[in-house]
Amino acid sequence: MKEGKWAQLAEERISLFRHDEEIQRGLAHGLPGSPTLVDRTIPTFSRGELPHFAGERGTFLKSPFLEDVNEIEDAEVAVFGAPLDSGATYRPGARFGPQGIRRSTNLFGTYCFELGVDLREQLNMVDIGDVFTIPGNLEKSFDQISQAMAHVYQRGVFPVILGGDHSIGYPTIRGMAPYVDGNIGIIHFDRHVDTQETDLDERMHTTPWFHATNIKNAPATNLVQVGIGGWQAPRAGVEVGRERGTTVITVGDVERVGIDKVAEIALETAWKGAKAVYLSFDIDVVDAGFVPGTGWPEPGGLLPREALNLIRKISAPGLAGLEVVECAPPYDWAEQTALLSARVILDSLAVLVREGHLGKKAAVRDRHAWGPRTAA
């Protein structure tokens, strides 16, 4: 009863300013509804959150689209896609991940009852589209992703990256590392270690953390890997992790000690001597029965409730950015994988707002905006 009562009281404290503003914009730009409609807040053309089955804007959660990325400093959070699957060693298809994740968010509203957060009202978030990746050329695509990440992060904007296969873990860290005054900790959810140097003679989606932890201020001792196990962990990667001192937590460990202890260990390790912690979530860490739409499904992973609870606990002390990878819509069923990918992002952002790490920066430009009207 404690959480339910708290959530009821928390809702009362949330503004409805952006909700009301959206209604007025819809009526102004989408025409008033037909005379037979009793609810006069409904326009003729959908221009807002509702209805969930129509009016798709193509952005994450139907958030404002910021076309000119030179104006990124006016936002607090920027969502962008990295549509790349040239690093996939088994199933391709993750290049459609950003598109699939965005589309799945049409189902969701902006308010989460148990977290007591309404992102439309409380978070100045924009979608800036996708990185222009180069199919068939990983290194050029990596350079594009690193440049995009650097552009967002160095301007003090929180990055949310929609993958893409997991090879993007290397260029995202490479893009932010020069702008972190100290070490970066990485919390990595996955069934696979992804720490070998090469795979099939290239830097593939099985290798990002070998190369990311070669970056001077992203040491392997601050890399925590949660959910590892099964029959797809190459021994070459296991050897690298052992030699470099990474921390590996299996699904069996989660079952044995519980999510509270796992979150405690992950946070303690990632934050030890670090100035920032980055979250990289591979959707295949969840049992394949729940996420069929991924490039390398592995039975026996985390349950969705375990994964989301861990994400909430790990986000509470603050994050420097996050990515969700390996959602491959061509293999998905009823958007299950895309929906859970979106939930990881939404739950993390909501906790960051609830704990006061985000939700402080208001838009100042005259544009369609979410979030507070004035700076906190």
Side-chain angles (χ1 to χ4, degrees):
M1 294 294 291
K2 183 178 179 182
E3 183 178 66
K5 186 62 176 178
W6 174 88
Q8 286 180 320
L9 297 173
E11 187 277 333
E12 189 177 20
R13 297 193 294 269
I14 301 173
S15 166
L16 284 169
F17 172 75
R18 295 298 185 187
H19 169 268
D20 297 341
E21 182 184 61
E22 184 174 280
I23 289 172
Q24 295 306 312
R25 185 183 303 108
L27 294 172
H29 298 291
L31 308 180
S34 67
T36 56
L37 269 61
V38 176
D39 186 348
R40 302 312 300 167
T41 67
I42 296 176
T44 298
F45 292 92
S46 174
R47 288 293 181 269
E49 174 190 349
L50 299 175
H52 291 296
F53 56 82
E56 180 179 351
R57 298 182 191 173
T59 63
F60 184 83
L61 205 62
K62 297 184 180 178
S63 60
F65 176 64
L66 188 67
E67 184 174 16
D68 188 350
V69 295
N70 293 299
E71 298 178 358
I72 192 70
E73 290 173 343
D74 196 48
E76 186 173 23
V77 172
V79 178
F80 63 95
L84 178 72
D85 60 13
S86 301
T89 57
Y90 190 56
R91 291 176 174 173
R95 72 179 62 187
F96 301 107
Q99 183 183 73
I101 294 169
R102 286 187 177 104
R103 182 166 295 147
S104 77
T105 62
N106 289 341
L107 173 69
F108 298 120
T110 62
Y111 164 65
C112 179
F113 174 71
E114 67 265 35
L115 293 177
V117 170
D118 189 324
L119 295 180
R120 176 173 50 199
E121 303 296 333
Q122 296 173 269
L123 188 62
N124 178 8
M125 178 171 70
V126 297
D127 191 320
I128 58 173
D130 290 346
V131 177
F132 195 132
T133 56
I134 314 299
N137 193 310
L138 276 171
E139 298 304 323
K140 288 182 180 179
S141 295
F142 287 172
D143 291 344
Q144 289 280 88
I145 293 167
S146 290
Q147 183 163 291
M149 183 65 157
H151 178 79
V152 172
Y153 192 81
Q154 71 175 313
R155 286 163 175 77
V157 179
F158 185 93
V160 175
I161 300 90
L162 312 176
D165 69 51
H166 216 162
S167 66
I168 73 167
Y170 164 57
T172 53
I173 295 295
R174 186 178 67 175
M176 70 181 287
Y179 306 102
V180 178
D181 183 22
N183 286 348
I184 302 168
I186 302 167
I187 299 180
H188 164 222
F189 283 80
D190 208 325
R191 289 293 276 157
H192 316 110
V193 290
D194 292 353
T195 45
Q196 61 202 82
E197 183 174 3
T198 61
D199 192 350
L200 307 178
D201 208 41
E202 294 287 344
R203 298 200 280 198
M204 306 294 274
H205 69 164
T206 50
T207 71
W209 309 123
F210 179 95
H211 302 286
T213 57
N214 277 340
I215 297 169
K216 186 176 180 180
N217 62 332
T221 50
N222 286 106
L223 170 63
V224 186
Q225 302 182 288
V226 181
I228 307 301
W231 291 86
Q232 299 162 358
R235 292 182 64 183
V238 175
E239 180 182 3
V240 168
R242 182 170 61 246
E243 291 175 349
R244 294 190 175 187
T246 63
T247 297
V248 176
I249 300 171
T250 67
V251 171
D253 290 330
V254 176
E255 290 182 311
R256 182 173 53 85
V257 304
I259 61 172
D260 288 335
K261 188 63 176 178
V262 167
E264 178 187 332
I265 293 168
L267 289 168
E268 181 181 353
T269 305
W271 277 105
K272 188 174 183 180
K275 288 292 185 70
V277 168
Y278 185 75
L279 172 62
S280 181
F281 192 96
D282 188 328
I283 199 64
D284 71 31
V285 72
V286 177
D287 185 275
F290 297 98
V291 289
T294 187
W296 209 307
E298 169 66 43
L302 296 174
L303 298 175
R305 187 183 299 144
E306 292 173 329
L308 293 175
N309 281 332
L310 280 165
I311 289 300
R312 293 176 178 189
K313 292 178 183 298
I314 281 166
S315 300
L319 295 169
L322 68 95
E323 64 190 17
V324 175
V325 300
E326 297 288 349
C327 176
Y331 313 102
D332 211 359
W333 174 252
E335 296 185 295
Q336 288 176 235
T337 312
L339 286 166
L340 189 56
S341 298
R343 273 295 304 270
V344 169
I345 296 166
L346 293 171
D347 283 31
S348 180
L349 290 176
V351 169
L352 290 168
V353 170
R354 189 181 71 178
E355 299 299 321
H357 303 294
L358 294 176
K360 303 177 181 179
K361 182 178 178 182
V364 296
R365 291 182 179 271
D366 182 18
R367 62 174 178 85
H368 176 203
W370 277 12
R373 284 175 282 179
T374 57

